[in-house]
Each structure stands twice: as C-alpha cells, then as structure tokens.
Amino acid sequence: MSEVVRKAKLAKETTGVLASLTTSQKNEALLVMAEALRTEAPSIIAANAEDLERGRRNGTSESLLDRLALDPGRIDSIAEGLQQIAELPDPVGDRLETIERPNGLTIDKLRVPLGVIGIIYEARPNVTVDAAGLCLKTGNAVVLRGGSSALSSNRRIVEVLHIALAGTALPPHALQLIEDADRASVDEMLKLNGLLDVIIPRGGSSLIQNVVLNATVPVIETGAGICHTYIDESALPEMALSISLNAKAQRPSVCNSMETLLIHRDYAKVHLPALAEAFRDANVELRGCPETVALVPWALPATLEDYATEYNDYILNLKIVSGLDEAMLHIAQFGTSHSECIVTENKNYAARFLQEVDAAAVYHNASTRFTDGFEFGFGAEIGISTQKLHARGPMGLPALTSTKYKIYGTGQVRG
Amino acid sequence: MSEVVRKAKLAKETTGVLASLTTSQKNEALLVMAEALRTEAPSIIAANAEDLERGRRNGTSESLLDRLALDPGRIDSIAEGLQQIAELPDPVGDRLETIERPNGLTIDKLRVPLGVIGIIYEARPNVTVDAAGLCLKTGNAVVLRGGSSALSSNRRIVEVLHIALAGTALPPHALQLIEDADRASVDEMLKLNGLLDVIIPRGGSSLIQNVVLNATVPVIETGAGICHTYIDESALPEMALSISLNAKAQRPSVCNSMETLLIHRDYAKVHLPALAEAFRDANVELRGCPETVALVPWALPATLEDYATEYNDYILNLKIVSGLDEAMLHIAQFGTSHSECIVTENKNYAARFLQEVDAAAVYHNASTRFTDGFEFGFGAEIGISTQKLHARGPMGLPALTSTKYKIYGTGQVRG
C-alpha cells in the first residue's frame, strides 16, 4: 500500500471520533498544539535550517528562502494563529433548519464535518499549521501534501503536533503529512475518491490548474484573481485615486489586488495624468490602451495578453472606456470572477455594476483588497473560492462543513 | 466549432439577462412553456413515436419502451410539473447574511444563479422538461444531453419550448439540447471549464461514474444508494415490520429503497420467521448470513458481494448482528452514505445511530423511502446528492444557486 493510501486510510478511520468531539475538546487540542510549537521551536528551527540549506544549494531565490524561513517570532505567530482558531465559534452541530412534515416526521438539517480534506500547497510551512488547525477545528481529518522545499520543516512540525495530540481527545492520526516528494504522490491524492471528501489546492496557478484538471475527488478551486476597478465619470477624484492605488500597490502579490484599471473617457481627460503620476510615484509600471498612451506618453502599449495576465506585481493595465457597459464587457471578457470594483457617485450605475458583474465579490467605492476572510470578519480563511459550487469568495470555517439530515419518526412509511 | 462548444457559448451569453430576471418574469415563462407543451402534444407524441419505433427495431425491452413512451396524459403531467415549479419560492436574490464591519463596509451575501448547468441523463423525456424548468426557475442557463433513445422526443420538446420562450422575457438560448448522439459529445461537456459551471448526472451508476471520473467541470454526484435498516432488540415488532417492508418493497427500483436489513440477534430469534414470511409474501427474495439461513431455511446464503450490491429489485440481504456497534460497522463498510435507518425504542441508541452514522439522511423509526425532495417539502427535486460538497441529500431549488458578496463602501482602503 502506498504512503498516500495508507495515510488517507488512517485519517479516514478517525472521522467518526472527530465528528463527535465537543467544541471544548477540539479547542483544548488546538491550544495544546500551539503550546507544543512554542516549546519545540528550537527543533523546528533546526529542521527548517535543513530546508534553507538545501534551498541555497539548489539556487532558490532569496525571496523564496525568506518565505520559507522560520524564526522564534514566526513560530510564535503561527502558534498564535492556532489560539485564534480555538477562539472562533464552532459551526459543527449548528441546526440550519427544522422541517415539520404533515405526516409527523421532524427533519433537522445539521452542520457536520466534511470528513477527510486533502490540502495540496507550496512552500510556506505556516500553511501546514494553519490548514491543520482549521480542518481539525471543524472536526475534519486532514491529509497535507506540502512542497518538497519545506519537507524537513513540515515533517518536524507534524511530529511535534502528533506528540502534542497524543495527550488530547483528538486522535493524532487525524493529521497526516505526505512525505513522498514525488509528483506521483499528488496525482495519487487527486484520484482518492472514497478516502478524500474534498481537495483544496493552495498555491500558484499551475498547482491549482493541475489539481482542477486532474482530480476526480471534488475540488474547491482557489486563487486566480484578475481584478478590475472601474472609475466612472462621476467618481470623486480623491477617492478614485486612493482606492485604485490601494487595490494595485498596497500588496500586489496577492490575488485580490487589481490588474487593470478601467476609466471613463471624460474622467480620463481631466484626471488621468494625475492618476498616472501617482502610480509612477508608487513604482507601478503602466501599460495602456492607445488613448491612454496618448494622454500618458511614458505608458507602454498594453496587449490583449496583458489584459489576461495576473501580474501579481507592480504592473497595471489602463484602459479608457466609453462607459459602464464597455467596462462590464471588458470585465466579463478578462475577469476571473474574483473581485471587481466600481468607483462612482451614481447610485444607479453602482447598483447595475453590483448586480450584473459576475464575481465572488463586487465593490462600490472600496478597494478589492478587502476580499479576505479576516477583513470579512470570519476570523480565519482557508482560501478564496473562485468557483461557484459549495463556497464562493473568502472561506471561513463553515466552508469546511457539510450537512446531514436527521429524521425523527414514529413508524412512518411511504404510501 | 463543435455543437457542444457552440451551444454552451450561446447558453453562457444569456446568463447576465437570466440573473437579472424578476421572479414573475421567470414564472410567466414557465407557464408559457407548460401551455406550449399541452398545445403541441400531438407533434411531441409524433416525434416520440419515431423514438419508440427505432427502439423496437433495436430490440429495446418493453419496460424501457414504456418509460420512454409519451401520451397526452403524460405530457399533461409534465406540463403540470412546470406549473408547480412556477409556484415555488424563488431563492435567487435572497439575502443570506449582512455583515457590518468596524471600518464602515457593509457586506451583503446574496443568492445568485450558478450560471450554466450541464445535465447528462438517460432515456425519459420528462427529465428534459423537469431539469429545464428547475434550472430556468433559478436563473440558470442549461445545456441538456439526453440519451440517444429519446432524441426525437427531446428535439421536438426543446423546439416547442424555444418557440414558446421567444414570446417571453426569458432568452430561448438559455435552454440548449445537445443532439450529437456520439459519446464524444458527453466527453466534451465534461471538460468544458469556463463555459459550464457545474454538471449534474442523472441516471444509472455507469453514467454517473463516467461523469465523476472524467469531468474537470465541478460535478454534483447523485444516485447510488445501498441503504440499510437496523432493527434493534427493543424495536416494536409491528413498526419494524412495516418500516422494513416499506423500505424494501414499496418501490425497489429507486435509490432510497433498502438493500440490507440488519437485525439484533435477540430480536431475530423471536421475530425473524414472521418478518421473513412477510417479505416472501411481498415476493422479495432473501439472502442471509449463516444465522439467518439457520432460522429461515429457504433464504439463500448472502455473499460479501451481495452486501455491496444496489439491487434496485425485489431482493434483500438479511444479517443478524450482536448490537448497535456491529450494525454501524456494517453500514460504514457497505453503505453509500445515502439513507440509513434504526428502528428502536431505545432513545440513547437512536441518538448514537443518528450522530455516528455518516449519511445524507439518518432515520429513527421511519422508512428510508422518505429521502426525496417532495417528501422533505421542497416541492421539487433535481436529484439526491451523495457527495458532501455543495449539497447533500435531496436537492431543491437552493441547490441550484451560488452566492455573491456585494460590498458597499465610502472610499475604504486597506491599511
């Protein structure tokens, strides 16, 4: 039996116990896990040093090494994350609906764990702890498959958590780490129907596309964000500048940052030069439609491919449009249904944009950067779903649950 | 461009209009569709005659021909189904949650259509109308791929509905029928990410397995049901007999019927002979464990494969168990997480069974045959989900929706 099948089976065997744990049993386990990470910080940092050393030998970039690196401060904040998860309300057991039927049947719809969740992710070892914490809090078992560059760190972290869990009501086997660094172990997870109930990929677009295109297990697709801001003719210039600058430059590397700014022609004639200056001051490279380039000579010409690119960088497309309809057409053509914004003082236009644009999050007069589980007040985030099934947008704890109908009868049969 | 891509694109182009239709516009379209089916019943029956004739030539069984056949009465009840869908509450636009953030953002979570739904199904032409009605009511476009044996009927039905819709606010292209009878058209639908938002298979287990194993588009898995009833020692004999007989024999061909009856040893010693008689009187063939065969000599021996078989027929496995734990172990091993029942007067056992058995619907003292959208009071049913993602158990109209966050700001940016 392969490592993947063996560990997925061990995880699945714990689902009955997990589903029946009380909230306080789960919270206690999370706190014990947090404490163990702090106590074992030295051994985790030692394991992390192996990853960093191997990374340096393989010529990994400094910025990736920085993401991979752990120190006492980072481990403390990872442990702090577990404590925060412990403080969140537990959705499992919530009664969503009670149906009383004329024949006397009572039907309760209750939240239950999903079962076994597979998480496939890349380098950063903090995801190991965060994903484990969110899954266990919701009574799910979890099979983690992290990137090989963080394998030593992940292995030590999971060892520490296993030892910690042995003293709690939460069965240690509920947390499994696939150590096989071969790509085949990912392929095997993707086809593990019957053992995994869902797979959530977290990482770059090639990782996510591989999961979406090859999994037979149900997937929650996360990630890709080509987000737009449309500045309407009636927008307040100061607000338009502040929102679009924030959406692009506050943290360009994330999926909810803006890639293309659409501007009403009449607004552009008056305000585009100042806007462009502000972006240049923020070190943002501009690529524009021909009209943009006429107004901002130092902007590069934008290609169709540019409009279809998620830069995750200090680069922005600018396009001048005739109005709301052309803006919405552009978004329909190039958007990824993640986060889209209109800046306008016209309430009818705002209402139409929010109604007609098909995206997980549509904004009137606020930065797309708010599409985030913490900013929405969920207190956690397992990812941002860009599909329409099961969950859409930032996913908090309820996205990690399913439902179950309990039906209470007194001998009813169907006629 | 293939027929599948061309029609899926036409369907997708209507999703903006569909999402903005009012409930009364959609209901009016459904009523016009119903009326057109009644008016055009003769031409639909003529097209159906072609299917029946072709079926006879190909040696189709009489029972399949009967499922395929349309007559004025059946068309009337199909039209009646559309009228009933028109009367149901429309979930689209429902506000599920409003979040007020400390920074002044207001976040509304609203129900929206899924987008374009692909339905892959088998012979019966009533599914064509029923699926179309449920999808359109919830503002979704729908791409139907029915079985080739009903192609003439389906083609004429969709022609009639297209003509009917031309006089309504609902764009006719929202309803598409794939006429290519080649299996390749199914394979093409399964990979249509970006054009189809979800695929729902309706039919036998080989059709469903093909969809689950080959689709890259998200799927809602429906169907397979190996359902159990456990009769505990304390069960009332009359109730146990009536529930188990109903679960098996009231309509054995459907997924929520029982395949295996588990009986407490002490109960079996006293009551099994009478139970077995009742099943024999209902023409149910019995296959039993060795202890069962000792008590009911005319029962055949059950194999492990029998316990793993969804008979959908007048055949029942009987197994004598030592108690609740053995019963739940058997269900965990052989069940398909569809519908499971315990008959008992012991409230603690009932509570444990309903909590610990992992299934979409778990019953105390009622027949598993109630797992059905109509019996749950949903007024409709697009299928019974046997997966945990998105929807679980009978799916009514809300299962055909997604959600969207509308965020109202006054210039907020992220710090």
Side-chain angles (χ1 to χ4, degrees):
Chain A
M1 195 184 302
S2 71
E3 183 201 8
V4 169
V5 170
R6 185 172 55 81
K7 290 188 171 174
K9 283 194 174 181
L10 285 172
K12 191 175 168 73
E13 281 167 13
T14 67
T15 55
V17 174
L18 283 175
S20 296
L21 291 178
T22 64
T23 300
S24 55
Q25 285 174 318
K26 290 184 284 190
N27 290 345
E28 195 201 313
L30 291 167
L31 297 179
V32 169
M33 286 163 64
E35 191 49 38
L37 290 176
R38 289 201 173 95
T39 309
E40 283 296 333
S43 72
I44 294 169
I45 290 168
N48 183 247
E50 295 173 23
D51 287 331
L52 293 172
E53 171 55 27
R54 200 174 51 245
R56 273 190 205 96
R57 274 203 313 268
N58 296 341
T60 305
S61 73
E62 276 307 313
S63 70
L64 277 180
L65 288 176
D66 178 62
R67 286 159 60 98
L68 181 56
L70 293 175
D71 59 32
R74 284 190 177 179
I75 290 177
D76 193 65
S77 82
I78 290 171
E80 171 73 23
L82 286 177
Q83 291 168 316
Q84 284 168 6
I85 294 170
E87 279 162 25
L88 292 174
D90 180 2
V92 172
D94 282 357
R95 189 184 311 190
L96 302 177
E97 210 178 340
T98 295
I99 306 165
E100 301 279 357
R101 298 295 300 155
N103 61 8
L105 285 182
T106 297
I107 304 175
D108 278 346
K109 185 177 186 176
L110 302 161
R111 274 202 199 281
V112 296
L114 281 167
V116 185
I117 299 177
I119 312 264
I120 297 175
Y121 59 106
E122 282 168 344
R124 289 188 299 167
N126 63 318
V127 175
T128 305
V129 178
D130 187 46
L134 294 168
C135 291
L136 297 176
K137 169 81 182 200
T138 41
N140 294 290
V142 59
V143 178
L144 301 167
R145 205 308 193 159
S148 55
S149 58
L151 185 56
S152 300
S153 314
N154 289 338
R155 191 187 281 142
R156 182 60 193 153
I157 287 170
V158 170
E159 266 174 15
V160 166
L161 297 179
H162 275 168
I163 294 167
L165 287 173
T168 75
L170 204 154
H173 282 323
L175 168 61
Q176 295 291 339
L177 175 74
I178 304 301
E179 300 182 19
D180 181 354
D182 195 283
R183 155 93 180 250
S185 65
V186 170
D187 296 341
E188 202 180 351
M189 278 180 75
L190 300 182
K191 313 280 187 194
L192 227 51
N193 300 63
L195 287 178
L196 297 183
D197 292 287
V198 57
I199 289 177
I200 304 176
R202 285 179 66 164
S205 66
S206 72
L207 181 150
I208 291 169
Q209 281 308 298
N210 177 45
V211 170
V212 168
L213 294 179
N214 295 304
T216 54
V217 173
V219 169
I220 302 179
E221 185 172 353
T222 64
I226 298 180
C227 306
H228 302 78
T229 300
Y230 168 55
I231 303 181
D232 177 46
E233 188 185 3
S234 69
L236 300 175
E238 205 173 317
M239 188 192 292
L241 175 67
S242 137
I243 286 175
S244 55
L245 205 58
N246 186 263
K248 176 73 256 180
Q250 192 251 351
R251 198 176 165 201
S253 62
V254 289
C255 59
N256 57 20
S257 65
M258 170 177 64
E259 307 298 356
T260 297
L261 180 60
L262 304 164
I263 310 177
H264 189 286
R265 181 161 295 123
D266 296 338
Y267 186 94
K269 280 177 191 156
V270 184
H271 302 289
L272 180 53
L275 255 178
E277 290 294 332
F279 279 108
R280 188 162 61 175
D281 292 347
N283 295 314
V284 175
E285 174 188 318
L286 298 182
R287 303 186 185 179
C289 64
E291 279 185 74
T292 297
V293 176
L295 288 165
V296 184
W298 46 271
L300 300 170
T303 64
L304 278 184
E305 204 187 323
D306 287 336
Y307 292 129
T309 300
E310 184 177 4
Y311 295 119
N312 285 338
D313 204 348
Y314 287 88
I315 308 173
L316 176 68
N317 302 314
L318 286 174
K319 188 178 175 187
I320 292 173
V321 296
S322 57
L324 181 61
D325 288 306
E326 192 184 343
M328 292 198 298
L329 260 177
H330 181 96
I331 292 170
Q333 190 178 353
F334 294 103
T336 54
S337 294
H338 191 297
S339 299
E340 309 291 355
C341 167
I342 184 171
V343 185
T344 184
E345 293 300 300
N346 183 317
K347 285 188 177 165
N348 292 332
Y349 287 175
R352 273 196 62 203
F353 186 93
L354 267 54
Q355 169 63 28
E356 295 179 28
V357 170
D358 182 23
V362 281
Y363 291 85
H364 177 213
N365 289 351
S367 166
T368 56
R369 288 278 295 113
F370 287 108
T371 303
D372 174 284
F374 296 93
E375 292 295 333
F376 275 31
F378 300 165
E381 180 184 286
I382 190 78
I384 296 174
S385 166
T386 53
Q387 68 180 31
K388 292 187 179 175
L389 225 55
H390 186 71
R392 197 179 190 205
M395 294 187 286
L397 293 178
L400 295 179
T401 65
S402 181
T403 59
K404 175 186 200 170
Y405 289 104
K406 290 189 181 178
I407 300 107
Y408 300 90
T410 50
Q412 282 83 351
V413 297
R414 193 154 164 197
Chain B
M1 196 183 297
S2 71
E3 184 201 7
V4 169
V5 171
R6 185 171 56 80
K7 291 187 170 176
K9 283 195 172 178
L10 285 172
K12 191 176 169 72
E13 283 167 11
T14 67
T15 53
V17 174
L18 282 175
S20 295
L21 291 178
T22 64
T23 301
S24 55
Q25 285 173 317
K26 290 183 284 191
N27 290 345
E28 196 201 313
L30 291 169
L31 296 178
V32 169
M33 286 163 64
E35 191 50 36
L37 289 177
R38 289 201 173 95
T39 308
E40 283 295 334
S43 72
I44 293 168
I45 290 168
N48 183 247
E50 295 173 24
D51 286 331
L52 294 173
E53 171 55 27
R54 200 173 52 245
R56 272 189 206 96
R57 275 203 312 271
N58 296 342
T60 307
S61 73
E62 277 307 311
S63 70
L64 277 180
L65 288 174
D66 178 63
R67 286 159 60 100
L68 181 56
L70 293 174
D71 59 31
R74 283 192 176 178
I75 290 179
D76 194 65
S77 82
I78 290 171
E80 171 73 23
L82 286 178
Q83 291 169 316
Q84 286 168 4
I85 293 170
E87 279 162 26
L88 292 175
D90 180 1
V92 172
D94 283 356
R95 188 184 311 190
L96 301 178
E97 209 177 342
T98 294
I99 306 164
E100 303 280 358
R101 296 296 300 155
N103 61 7
L105 286 181
T106 297
I107 304 174
D108 278 345
K109 184 177 187 176
L110 302 160
R111 272 201 200 280
V112 297
L114 281 167
V116 186
I117 299 177
I119 311 266
I120 298 175
Y121 58 106
E122 283 170 343
R124 290 188 300 165
N126 63 317
V127 175
T128 306
V129 178
D130 186 49
L134 294 168
C135 290
L136 297 176
K137 169 81 182 201
T138 40
N140 293 290
V142 58
V143 178
L144 300 167
R145 186 7 179 113
S148 55
S149 58
L151 185 57
S152 300
S153 314
N154 289 339
R155 191 188 279 144
R156 181 60 193 153
I157 287 170
V158 170
E159 266 173 17
V160 166
L161 297 179
H162 276 168
I163 295 168
L165 288 173
T168 74
L170 202 155
H173 282 324
L175 169 61
Q176 296 291 340
L177 176 73
I178 303 303
E179 300 183 17
D180 181 354
D182 196 283
R183 155 91 181 251
S185 65
V186 169
D187 295 340
E188 203 179 350
M189 279 180 75
L190 300 182
K191 312 281 185 193
L192 227 52
N193 300 61
L195 288 177
L196 298 183
D197 293 286
V198 56
I199 290 178
I200 304 176
R202 285 179 64 164
S205 66
S206 72
L207 181 150
I208 291 168
Q209 280 309 299
N210 176 46
V211 170
V212 168
L213 295 180
N214 295 302
T216 53
V217 174
V219 170
I220 302 179
E221 184 172 355
T222 65
I226 298 180
C227 305
H228 301 78
T229 301
Y230 168 55
I231 303 180
D232 176 47
E233 188 184 3
S234 69
L236 299 176
E238 206 173 317
M239 188 192 289
L241 175 67
S242 142
I243 287 176
S244 55
L245 205 57
N246 186 263
K248 177 72 256 180
Q250 193 253 351
R251 199 175 165 202
S253 62
V254 291
C255 59
N256 56 22
S257 66
M258 169 179 65
E259 308 298 357
T260 297
L261 180 60
L262 304 164
I263 310 177
H264 189 286
R265 181 160 294 124
D266 296 338
Y267 186 95
K269 280 177 191 157
V270 184
H271 301 289
L272 180 54
L275 256 178
E277 289 293 331
F279 279 108
R280 186 161 65 174
D281 292 347
N283 296 312
V284 175
E285 176 189 316
L286 298 183
R287 303 185 185 179
C289 65
E291 277 185 76
T292 298
V293 176
L295 289 165
V296 185
W298 45 272
L300 301 168
T303 65
L304 277 184
E305 204 186 324
D306 287 334
Y307 292 129
T309 300
E310 185 178 5
Y311 295 120
N312 284 338
D313 204 346
Y314 288 88
I315 307 172
L316 176 69
N317 303 315
L318 287 174
K319 189 179 174 187
I320 293 173
V321 296
S322 58
L324 181 61
D325 288 304
E326 193 185 343
M328 294 198 297
L329 259 177
H330 181 97
I331 292 171
Q333 188 178 356
F334 294 103
T336 54
S337 294
H338 191 297
S339 300
E340 309 291 355
C341 167
I342 183 171
V343 185
T344 184
E345 292 302 299
N346 183 317
K347 286 186 177 165
N348 292 334
Y349 288 175
R352 274 195 62 202
F353 186 92
L354 267 54
Q355 170 64 28
E356 295 178 29
V357 171
D358 181 23
V362 279
Y363 292 84
H364 176 211
N365 289 350
S367 167
T368 55
R369 288 278 295 111
F370 286 108
T371 303
D372 174 285
F374 296 93
E375 293 295 333
F376 275 31
F378 299 164
E381 181 184 285
I382 191 77
I384 296 173
S385 165
T386 52
Q387 69 181 31
K388 291 187 180 174
L389 224 56
H390 186 70
R392 194 178 192 206
M395 294 187 287
L397 292 177
L400 296 179
T401 65
S402 180
T403 58
K404 176 186 198 170
Y405 289 104
K406 290 188 180 178
I407 300 106
Y408 301 91
T410 50
Q412 282 83 350
V413 297
R414 193 155 164 194

